[in-house]
Amino acid sequence: MAVLVTGGAGYIGSHTVAELLAAGEEVVVVDSMVTGHRSAVLGGKLYEGDLRDAEWLEKVFSENDIESVIHFAASSLVGESMKDPGKYYHNNVYGTLCLLEKMVQHNVKRIVFSSTAATYGEPEQVPIEETSRTLPTNTYGETKLSMEKMIAWFEAAHGIKYVSLRYFNAAGAHESGRIGEDHRPETHLIPLILQVPLGQREHISVFGDDYPTEDGTCIRDYLHVSDLADAHLLSVKRLREGKDSAIYNLGSGNGFSVKQMIESARRITGHPIPAAVVPRREGDPAVLIASSEKAKRELGWTPKREQLETIIGSAWKWHQAHPNGYDS
Ligand code: NAD
Ligand code: UDP
């Protein structure tokens, strides 16, 4: 019996595959490699293709005895989603529909879904709880909310149980140093900061310092990618135990400002990392911090790598050893 991981060659997917393998699970990865990397998949069976290719997906489901699905495959760039919403509806919403239909045909009844803090939009209160209003401010978040809802309707009609995990900011790299973050283009703060000490960037741009926060820069909740991966294994376990479908936030509950992140990276790398304040990035809420109490209570999840030093330190180890990502 195998766990099917869609998008398993991507950043969070590859770290989850590593944890599944370490737990002795049989793993089948499907990935189109649009943003993934073959060498990020440390084991299991790999099928290269697109979820929207029904004939190819049929082969994957008929050749393997799949009992649960972990669904990471998606397009996830906020800016791109605003310029090309059609791409996001097609890949994310239609892609998920293709997957769910295949699960129905093959009687696969469990799915763990990668959702996002972007489903909340501008928060009414912080820390954000799962019962908070969901009002996405970009197409990416809107498609993720639609995917969550679609999965819930498939539960009503077909009995597919789900756990939707709303991640805050995934960060860091696997402790082995073998896998890490390699997004192209890179838009995330930590890898961009680390490009400065790597000599790939002159300075880091700070997107606005006039937010209503203590130092004026945006506050985010950074969570180690391996802690995130652990939550997926616990979600599969929850579904195997026959428990109800659920939605959980995943964050550390700690907020750090952009300036604090840069300062911490200076300490860790020993590099001065020049910073320049530039205008705000459109659509960035001032503060996003998760309440993950529900996940801790119901999944028994305990993040083990919460220190900022561990998060940025593991990313630094990966980027130093792989300055050109998986091409290094
Ligand atoms: P990623 O781009 O590294 O991984 C996504 C993977 O899915 C890639 O390997 C890509 O090739 C694959 N893929 C995309 N469309 C596909 C398709 N139609 N068929 C087959 N494979 C396809 O992204 P990531 O940062 O690892 O994020 C994984 C998931 O987590 C995404 O769904 C994303 O929306 C969500 N998420 C990420 C973050 C974050 O901080 N990185 C935060 C919240 C939510
Ligand atoms: N950010 C920044 N400079 C950069 C990239 C990001 O100031 O070059 C800020 C961004 O405005 C946000 C935070 O860093 O407040 C985290 O951004 P990221 O894109 O990593 O994640 P997001 O919170 O958008 O999912």
Side-chain angles (χ1 to χ4, degrees), residues 169 187-189 192 205-207 218 220 222 258 281 284:
N169 292 58
T187 60
H188 291 120
L189 180 65
L192 289 175
S205 297
V206 176
F207 296 155
C218 287
R220 293 288 179 273
Y222 298 88
V258 173
R281 184 172 67 178
D284 268 342

Side-chain angles (χ1 to χ4, degrees), residues 93-104:
V93 179
Y94 176 59
T96 300
L97 174 62
C98 295
L99 174 67
L100 289 170
E101 284 179 334
K102 203 48 76 186
M103 287 175 67
V104 171

Side-chain angles (χ1 to χ4, degrees), residues 69 72 116 158 174 183 254 314:
V69 175
F72 294 101
T116 167
H158 303 291
H174 196 260
H183 287 122
N254 303 314
S314 65

Side-chain angles (χ1 to χ4, degrees), residues 10-12 31-32 34-36 50-51 72 91 140 144 167 170 183:
Y11 173 45
I12 307 172
D31 202 299
S32 61
V34 276
T35 55
D50 194 297
L51 287 181
F72 294 101
N91 198 31
Y140 163 64
K144 284 278 166 171
Y167 318 152
H183 287 122

